[in-house]
Amino acid sequence: QVQLVESGGGLVQAGGSLRLSCAASGRTFSSYDMGWFRQAPGKERKFVAAISWSGGKTTYVASVSGRFTVSRDNAKNTVFLQMNSLEPEDTAVYYCAARTVGTVEWGYWGQGTQVTVSS
């Protein structure tokens, strides 16, 4: 069992940057792959980025590749999403998620943090 709490959202102008954090409870953080998803108003929640349990493998949706960077600090039970060159289309609620290594389902979710990018 793991509990996730996101922070770092806010309002930023287009071209700006934000860094999201997701703090996880428990002592087995390194047993989980971690992911970031987002949900824009009136749309389905979609995958943004993921990082393997060791941090050795990262994956991004094409629309954020080169602008966003996912990282993790297993000693601090925290995963980050550095977002640069933000665009109005990045406006959404961003969710942190965890899945047990070796599984495909994202079984644990945070409450979300709002990111708003103004033009």
Side-chain angles (χ1 to χ4, degrees), residues 83-99:
M83 306 186 294
N84 299 329
S85 302
L86 283 161
E87 304 169 352
E89 293 73 21
D90 296 316
T91 295
V93 177
Y94 283 71
Y95 297 90
C96 173
R99 68 182 180 192

Side-chain angles (χ1 to χ4, degrees), residues 93-109:
V93 177
Y94 283 71
Y95 297 90
C96 173
R99 68 182 180 192
T100 304
V101 173
T103 65
V104 297
E105 181 180 357
W106 297 95
Y108 304 96
W109 294 87

Side-chain angles (χ1 to χ4, degrees), residues 2 12 14 26 31 43 45-47 52 59 71 78 82-83 88 92 98 105 111 114 116:
V2 61
V12 64
S31 298
K43 297 188 177 180
R45 186 161 54 187
K46 295 184 177 180
F47 171 81
S52 64
T59 309
S71 62
T78 305
Q82 177 67 45
M83 306 186 294
E105 181 180 357
Q111 83 288 349
Q114 177 70 47
T116 302

Side-chain angles (χ1 to χ4, degrees), residues 33-40 44-52 57-65 68 70 81 90 92-97 99 104 106 109:
D33 297 327
M34 300 299 296
W36 288 96
F37 292 74
R38 65 187 179 186
Q39 186 168 18
E44 295 182 350
R45 186 161 54 187
K46 295 184 177 180
F47 171 81
V48 175
I51 186 166
S52 64
K57 180 179 179 181
T58 56
T59 309
Y60 301 91
V61 67
S63 59
V64 308
S65 183
F68 291 11
V70 60
L81 185 67
D90 296 316
V93 177
Y94 283 71
Y95 297 90
C96 173
R99 68 182 180 192
V104 297
W106 297 95
W109 294 87

Side-chain angles (χ1 to χ4, degrees), residues 3 7 9 22 24 66 71 80 86 96 98:
Q3 293 182 329
S7 61
C22 173
S71 62
F80 306 96
L86 283 161
C96 173

